[in-house]
Amino acid sequence: MSRNVSVVITDDLDGTEGAETVSFGIDGASYEIDLSEANRSRLADGLAPFIAAGRRANRNAGRRGGGRSTSPSVDRAAVRAWAREAGLNVSERGRISSDVMNKYEAAH
């Protein structure tokens, strides 16, 4: 026996079938809502003056990475050996401090 399963997306505001997901953001928070064509138009019309007066933001603007993005081609063993020869404190294993990495890159 075969079975057909249909997924029907309904409007989150009024329950109309055939809705599509719309993404938007405000105050640094991102949202998604499923809207019918009529409610998508209402949303677009309501936001139109703000969109016209605004500017597109870079999605990554204001985000800072947790760490340094060092080239994967850096030989960590070579960095450790160089740091020891330079009299810098560096562990045998684990993370190499950004200070040591900066000094290594400046020297090479």
Side-chain angles (χ1 to χ4, degrees), residues 12-88:
D12 290 332
L13 297 177
D14 63 17
T16 304
E17 292 184 359
E20 293 182 18
T21 301
V22 176
S23 300
F24 63 96
I26 188 166
D27 293 337
S30 297
Y31 299 89
E32 287 186 345
I33 188 169
D34 298 325
L35 296 176
S36 65
E37 186 60 39
N39 283 330
R40 284 183 67 151
S41 293
R42 283 181 49 210
L43 178 64
D45 292 345
L47 293 175
F50 301 98
I51 292 170
R55 61 192 168 279
R56 280 191 177 257
N58 181 346
R59 292 191 96 141
N60 294 324
R63 291 184 185 176
R64 293 186 165 198
R68 193 181 156 74
S69 68
T70 306
S71 170
S73 63
V74 172
D75 181 359
R76 306 254 183 231
V79 173
R80 285 185 166 83
W82 173 86
R84 280 189 213 97
E85 289 174 14
L88 301 173

